[in-house]
């Protein structure tokens, strides 16, 4: 295999990532990596009991071992183990189902699902300790978010970033845990590029494809790293080449954004952790609606106008809602639900809430429009302005310049822990959720055996 000489974007990223695996993380970066892992488990555990994760587990059941079978990676929700790629596929899919997963705002991207889905499966497979897992997560976030920023915002016109860019993140995290040198690391990323996929149309209707994008990214990225480890090569100029990723999947990719401030700025420290259980494009409007709610008589509402950025209309201007998927991807529904019930959490898309006549009536009064100021700020800021017109002619207006949970309005550690308990405890029980949270908070000191059993509770008989 030819030695890697930094020059292409992939070689530069791989050279940095390989060297990053050899040093300790700064304390603040380590803290944010643990926050990302806590948030991922909060989304994973309830999602593991829902389709399509349950359907994938059934479809791939012949790949499972027992509690200590042929595979070493845990498939959450089953209590069983499977090979790296199978576990990465199912767990990453599960973590994207309930729409509570993290966001890197500038790349319009959910990195946790594919990156951690692959990283944890790889760590359990190779017997890595907690510190190595956290380093791999940071590397996966760093490589993928930087590529994501370089190709946005045009990439998001047709492509689902979590499925495409997530493939690089999964490859990087797996390569880190496999201990690949810079040369093989670069080939892992190069091969990942040509397997990256995920179309926007997949979540313009009530289908199961969207969470599968995260799963595919985790599996394909892991495969790329495993293959590179055995000598499989990729085209190292696949990002900036004339028929490469940037040319095919964006307009005017700015590759300088992918390598600026490498090692000095860590994107994992600027994550958005969701405060609402729905598509992030609806968040600013929900926050604005909640700010107006205390002064509002719902019976006096004549009309609601949500001004926001164009992409939010393209993805969430859904006028009819009957299923959980449709509810999570409808700003009119989530705004109406927030006004009626005071929150948009998991129960917002329960059958009773979806059919709530007051919510249904109110959402029919919601109109979405493009607000020029909000549109100009996207994707760096996700904003909205909500105006509620009352039957007596008065108008109540709230401009929301950012979202609760964004880096400039972050969830505190306590708020993140509350979110974890809210989502995890119904899935695994209060005691198991408390034990897992404690383990995640001290993961940097965890030995390999603790990582292998992470989230499983007491040992199970074989």
């Amino acid at each position: 295999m030819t030695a890697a000489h930094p020059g292409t974007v992939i070689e530069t990223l791989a050279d940095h990532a390989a060297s990053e695996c050899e040093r300790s993380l700064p304390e603040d970066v380590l803290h944010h990596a643990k926050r990302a892992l806590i948030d991922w488990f909060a989304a994973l555990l309830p999602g593991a009991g829902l389709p399509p994760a349950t359907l994938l587990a059934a479809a791939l059941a012949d790949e499972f071992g027992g509690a200590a079978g042929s595979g070493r990676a845990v498939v959450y929700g089953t209590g069983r183990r499977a090979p790296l790629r199978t576990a990465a596929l199912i767990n990453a899919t599960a973590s994207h189902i309930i729409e509570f997963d993290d966001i890197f705002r500038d790349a319009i991207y959910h990195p946790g699902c594919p990156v951690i889905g692959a990283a944890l499966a790889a760590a359990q497979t190779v017997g890595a300790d907690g510190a190595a897992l956290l380093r791999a997560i940071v590397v996966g976030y760093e490589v993928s978010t930087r590529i994501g920023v370089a190709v946005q915002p045009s990439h998001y016109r047709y492509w689902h970033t979590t499925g495409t860019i997530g493939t690089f993140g999964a490859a990087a995290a797996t390569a880190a845990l496999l201990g690949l040198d810079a040369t093989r690391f670069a080939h892992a990323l190069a091969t990942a590029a040509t397997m990256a996929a995920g179309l926007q149309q997949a979540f313009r209707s009530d289908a199961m494809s969207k969470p599968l994008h995260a799963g595919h990214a985790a599996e394909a990225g892991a495969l790329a790293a495993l293959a590179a480890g055995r000598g499989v090569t990729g085209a190292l100029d696949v990002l900036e080449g004339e028929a490469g990723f940037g040319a095919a999947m964006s307009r005017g990719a700015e590759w300088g954004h992918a390598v600026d401030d490498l090692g000095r700025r860590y994107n994992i420290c600027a994550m958005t952790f969701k405060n609402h259980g729905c598509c992030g494009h609806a968040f600013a409007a929900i926050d604005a609606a909640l700010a107006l709610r205390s002064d509002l008589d719902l019976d006096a509402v004549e009309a609601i106008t949500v001004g926001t950025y164009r992409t939010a209309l393209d993805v969430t201007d859904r006028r009819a809602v009957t299923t959980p998927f449709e509810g999570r991807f409808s700003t009119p529904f989530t705004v109406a639900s927030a006004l009626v019930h005071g929150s948009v959490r998991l129960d917002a898309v329960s059958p009773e809430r979806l059919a709530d006549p007051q919510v249904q009536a109110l959402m029919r009064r919601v109109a979405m429009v493009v607000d020029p100021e909000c549109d100009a700020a996207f994707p760096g800021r996700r904003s909205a302005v909500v105006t509620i017109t009352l039957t007596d002619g008065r108008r109540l207006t709230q401009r929301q310049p950012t979202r609760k949970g964004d880096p400039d309005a972050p969830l505190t550690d306590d708020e993140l822990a509350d979110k974890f308990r809210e989502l995890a405890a119904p899935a695994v029980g209060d005691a198991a959720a408390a034990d897992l949270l404690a383990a995640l908070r001290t993961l940097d000191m965890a030995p390999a055996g603790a990582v292998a059993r992470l989230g499983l509770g007491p040992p199970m008989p074989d």
Side-chain angles (χ1 to χ4, degrees):
M1 186 179 291
T2 305
H5 299 287
T8 67
V9 176
I10 274 180
E11 289 170 303
T12 303
L13 289 171
D15 191 58
H16 167 76
S19 65
E20 193 81 345
C21 295
E22 299 173 0
R23 50 179 175 259
S24 298
L25 294 172
E27 282 301 315
D28 62 326
V29 177
L30 180 66
H31 178 68
H32 282 283
K34 288 190 278 190
R35 278 170 58 90
L37 190 54
I38 288 168
D39 192 73
W40 182 79
F41 266 105
L44 164 78
L45 293 174
L50 298 171
T54 52
L55 302 178
L56 281 178
L60 300 174
D62 60 348
E63 298 184 20
F64 289 16
S70 59
R72 298 187 184 130
V74 178
V75 179
Y76 290 91
T78 70
R80 301 177 69 190
R81 296 184 185 272
L84 194 168
R85 289 170 54 200
T86 303
L89 167 64
I90 298 172
N91 292 337
T93 297
S95 66
H96 198 41
I97 290 171
I98 65 166
E99 293 293 335
F100 253 117
D101 45 326
D102 65 7
I103 302 167
F104 185 67
R105 185 173 56 186
D106 291 355
I108 324 176
Y109 167 44
H110 302 281
C113 302
V115 172
I116 299 178
L120 183 55
Q124 291 172 336
T125 297
V126 303
D129 61 19
L133 171 58
L134 291 168
R135 278 196 300 273
I137 290 169
V138 171
V139 166
Y141 272 59
E142 197 65 21
V143 168
S144 58
T145 56
R146 286 171 168 277
I147 294 173
V149 169
V151 298
Q152 296 294 18
S154 62
H155 182 75
Y156 198 69
R157 176 67 182 87
Y158 297 107
W159 301 100
H160 181 203
T161 321
T162 302
T164 54
I165 302 303
T167 312
F168 295 101
T174 305
L177 285 156
L178 295 178
L180 301 191
D181 61 22
T183 299
R184 292 175 188 262
F185 206 120
H187 286 292
L189 296 180
T191 297
T194 203
M195 297 194 292
L199 293 168
Q200 284 272 336
Q201 194 64 35
F203 52 94
R204 300 298 174 91
S205 62
D206 190 355
M208 296 183 185
S209 301
K210 184 175 187 284
L212 285 172
H213 290 170
H216 171 73
E219 182 189 25
L223 172 60
L226 289 165
R230 293 294 185 178
V232 173
T233 62
L236 297 178
D237 61 351
V238 71
L239 293 182
E240 66 270 45
E242 62 179 2
F245 187 88
M249 300 171 77
S250 74
R251 292 194 303 274
E254 295 286 349
W255 293 115
H257 295 329
V259 297
D260 288 344
D261 295 325
L262 270 175
R264 295 187 294 275
R265 169 175 51 81
Y266 289 85
N267 288 339
I268 202 168
C269 298
M271 296 306 302
T272 295
F273 296 116
K274 286 187 172 185
N275 196 42
H276 308 298
C278 60
C279 178
H281 294 310
F283 282 16
I286 294 169
D287 289 339
L290 290 172
L292 295 172
R293 184 173 183 264
S294 60
D295 299 323
L296 193 61
D297 176 4
L298 293 179
D299 292 333
V301 173
E302 184 173 284
I304 302 170
T305 301
V306 175
T308 186
Y309 48 94
R310 165 58 62 185
T311 298
L313 270 72
D314 291 342
V315 177
T316 70
D317 191 11
R318 194 179 301 274
R319 318 302 303 177
V321 167
T322 58
T323 69
F325 174 90
E326 291 169 346
R328 293 185 181 112
F329 282 82
S330 170
T331 291
F333 172 79
T334 53
V335 165
S337 188
L339 289 172
V340 173
H341 297 291
S343 67
V344 181
R345 309 298 280 188
L346 281 183
D347 59 359
V349 293
S350 66
E352 297 77 18
R353 289 282 182 91
L354 287 168
D356 186 324
Q358 190 175 20
V359 173
Q360 289 282 340
L362 197 59
M363 72 174 286
R364 287 193 287 271
R365 300 173 205 165
V366 178
M368 295 185 69
V369 299
V370 174
D371 178 89
E373 184 177 335
C374 297
D375 202 42
F378 178 80
R381 281 188 177 270
R382 311 295 174 83
S383 54
V385 54
V386 172
T387 300
I388 300 178
T389 303
L390 305 179
T391 52
D392 62 8
R394 287 183 298 136
R395 301 176 73 194
L396 307 176
T397 298
Q398 175 73 26
R399 181 170 285 275
Q400 190 70 27
T402 190
R403 307 172 295 189
K404 174 67 174 175
D406 272 339
D408 42 2
L411 297 186
T412 66
D413 287 351
D414 286 343
E415 288 172 328
L416 184 60
D418 288 343
K419 172 184 171 179
F420 175 88
R421 284 186 284 264
E422 176 191 342
L423 298 179
V428 299
D430 292 343
D435 289 346
L436 178 56
L437 180 59
L440 295 173
R441 283 171 161 167
T442 58
L443 190 67
D444 52 315
M445 298 180 285
V451 173
R453 294 206 51 78
L454 199 58
L456 283 184
M460 299 174 294
D462 291 351

